[in-house]
Amino acid sequence: MTIPDSYAQIQVYQQDPAELKAWIKAQALELGFSDCVIAKPDAQAELARLQEYLDRGYHGDMKFLEDNLEKRANPALLVPGTRSIICVRMDYLVETPKPRYVPYAPNSAIIARYARGRDYHKIMRGRLKTLATKIREKVGDFESRPFADSAPIFEKSLAESAGMGWTGKHTLLIHKKSGSFFVLGELFTSLDLPFDAPASKHCGSCTACIDICPTQAIVEPYMLDARRCIAYLTIEYKGIIPEDLRRGIGNRVFGCDDCQLICPWNSFAQITPVEDFHPRHGLDQVSLLDLWQWDETTFLSATEGSPMRRTGYQSFMRNIAIGLGNAPFDEKIVYALQHQRALHDEIVQVHIDWAIQEQLTKTA
């Protein structure tokens, strides 16, 4: 039997808002989310900061950040009827990491920890849809839409406004009891739920993340120049990486965790219960030379359902070439670079030539 809309709305509003909010949070935790807060659908306060970021050109080639500013500031324009936003996070560490300043093994490749397993976007959206179904079974029909870094949303600002944590000087969200190794998701809803209060900030005078950044991408506290950021350069950027930044990239072939690894609050980082975040294809202990042997078919197979697909094959090989150039001298590296140069496009070849020169320089 189809329930009339008017009756469904009566069901919703019969629920005590505070009790419903507590129940929703409990359901979110049962689904494997690490935390759940309720945010007001208002991010106007973040707009001025984004505009300054754009005016400085720090977004590089991420032109999509210039679009839909009104929708970012007012989520109700993105999803009409939105009255509250359920913000969740999922921890993704599978083991306590060593500090980044521990010397890495020669020829090893580093992939950001969030990208070693399944694509979290799919995991997040699936669980948010399940949460919406559970709420609907309890209160009746309501409007909802799940997001996971998939729309023009100030997701970090919304989560911060509701107490999920505070923005650190590296521009990532930090939770006092869980550090920063987590990803965010949102469920826009038409429900009237009480909003959570923001958390206090606790970075103090610490500048560890600024000091450790290999390419000095954190140009001032709370301001990141993406054009210098290793995560942007190795994932979003598709062109020739400036030569003065290549040595700083080191052996990082997809993303970078350095500013998180050095953060004192990550001594409290939680280990994930989500199996999908565990590394696949040995991506937590793979060598640069092994990756250099991948053809495009192997790349597509090994990155199926992975965030690593985003960078594309040629850009991924460009990153590996830089890593090989930065590795300690090895005749095998020089041979591999020389004999596979013709297999790649002109952009990759520029980085191969640089890598060969870097290797040969180390023989002197």
Side-chain angles (χ1 to χ4, degrees), residues 223-292:
M223 187 63 74
L224 177 80
D225 185 347
R227 298 169 301 179
R228 300 187 64 85
C229 177
I230 294 173
Y232 166 78
L233 291 170
T234 58
I235 301 173
E236 300 292 338
Y237 185 59
K238 307 304 180 187
I240 296 175
I241 293 176
E243 192 165 330
D244 65 320
L245 299 178
R246 294 176 195 168
R247 289 185 178 177
I249 289 174
N251 60 333
R252 305 164 191 82
V253 299
F254 189 94
C256 179
D257 291 326
D258 285 27
C259 61
Q260 297 193 83
L261 291 171
I262 200 68
C263 177
W265 289 107
N266 273 322
S267 62
F268 303 107
Q270 302 295 304
I271 302 302
T272 183
V274 182
E275 189 68 27
D276 283 326
F277 283 119
H278 283 255
R280 302 190 300 173
H281 306 294
L283 292 178
D284 57 333
Q285 50 190 3
V286 68
S287 77
L288 291 164
L289 276 176
D290 284 345
L291 292 176
W292 187 245

Side-chain angles (χ1 to χ4, degrees), residues 347-360:
I347 290 179
V348 180
Q349 289 178 5
V350 168
H351 298 83
I352 291 174
D353 293 341
W354 174 86
I356 293 171
Q357 284 303 118
E358 288 292 293
Q359 279 285 308
L360 296 178

Side-chain angles (χ1 to χ4, degrees), residues 44-284:
Q44 294 287 343
E46 191 66 21
L47 197 55
R49 188 160 188 81
L50 174 60
Q51 192 59 62
E52 179 184 359
Y53 181 78
L54 297 174
D55 291 343
R56 294 190 187 187
Y58 287 167
H59 58 311
D61 285 349
M62 296 185 289
K63 302 302 182 185
F64 58 87
L65 291 176
E66 302 172 8
D67 302 329
N68 299 304
L69 297 185
E70 299 83 2
K71 290 181 179 179
R72 291 181 186 275
N74 182 2
L77 294 178
L78 180 64
V79 182
T82 297
R83 308 181 79 158
S84 64
I85 299 175
I86 301 172
C87 300
V88 296
R89 65 177 174 86
M90 296 178 71
D91 300 325
Y92 60 79
L93 283 183
V94 300
E95 62 181 2
T96 302
K98 297 177 181 179
R100 181 61 180 89
Y101 50 76
V102 173
Y104 61 85
N107 190 27
S108 65
I110 291 183
I111 294 165
R113 283 157 180 79
Y114 82 89
R116 296 175 182 178
R118 284 195 65 214
D119 188 344
Y120 79 87
H121 300 87
K122 299 175 182 178
I123 305 168
M124 182 73 76
R125 281 196 297 270
R127 296 192 182 204
L128 284 171
K129 289 178 181 179
T130 301
L131 179 60
T133 299
K134 285 178 172 290
I135 299 171
R136 193 165 285 112
E137 289 172 352
K138 181 175 180 65
V139 305
D141 199 21
F142 70 99
E143 296 296 324
S144 68
R145 190 172 170 186
F147 294 100
D149 192 26
S150 54
I153 300 170
F154 282 128
E155 62 174 9
K156 182 179 65 179
S157 177
L158 290 169
E160 181 176 17
S161 73
M164 186 79 78
W166 74 92
T167 298
K169 292 177 183 177
H170 49 22
T171 74
L172 300 172
L173 205 62
I174 304 174
H175 189 276
K176 196 172 183 179
K177 296 182 179 179
S178 302
S180 62
F181 285 100
F182 54 79
V183 290
L184 301 173
E186 301 79 36
L187 185 67
F188 283 39
T189 84
S190 59
L191 300 173
D192 280 314
L193 298 171
F195 307 129
D196 286 304
S200 54
K201 298 179 180 293
H202 298 279
C203 282
S205 61
C206 179
T207 60
C209 60
I210 298 174
D211 300 335
I212 200 67
C213 180
T215 53
Q216 292 82 56
I218 308 172
V219 295
E220 62 186 71
Y222 314 106
M223 187 63 74
L224 177 80
D225 185 347
R227 298 169 301 179
R228 300 187 64 85
C229 177
I230 294 173
Y232 166 78
L233 291 170
T234 58
I235 301 173
E236 300 292 338
Y237 185 59
K238 307 304 180 187
I240 296 175
I241 293 176
E243 192 165 330
D244 65 320
L245 299 178
R246 294 176 195 168
R247 289 185 178 177
I249 289 174
N251 60 333
R252 305 164 191 82
V253 299
F254 189 94
C256 179
D257 291 326
D258 285 27
C259 61
Q260 297 193 83
L261 291 171
I262 200 68
C263 177
W265 289 107
N266 273 322
S267 62
F268 303 107
Q270 302 295 304
I271 302 302
T272 183
V274 182
E275 189 68 27
D276 283 326
F277 283 119
H278 283 255
R280 302 190 300 173
H281 306 294
L283 292 178
D284 57 333

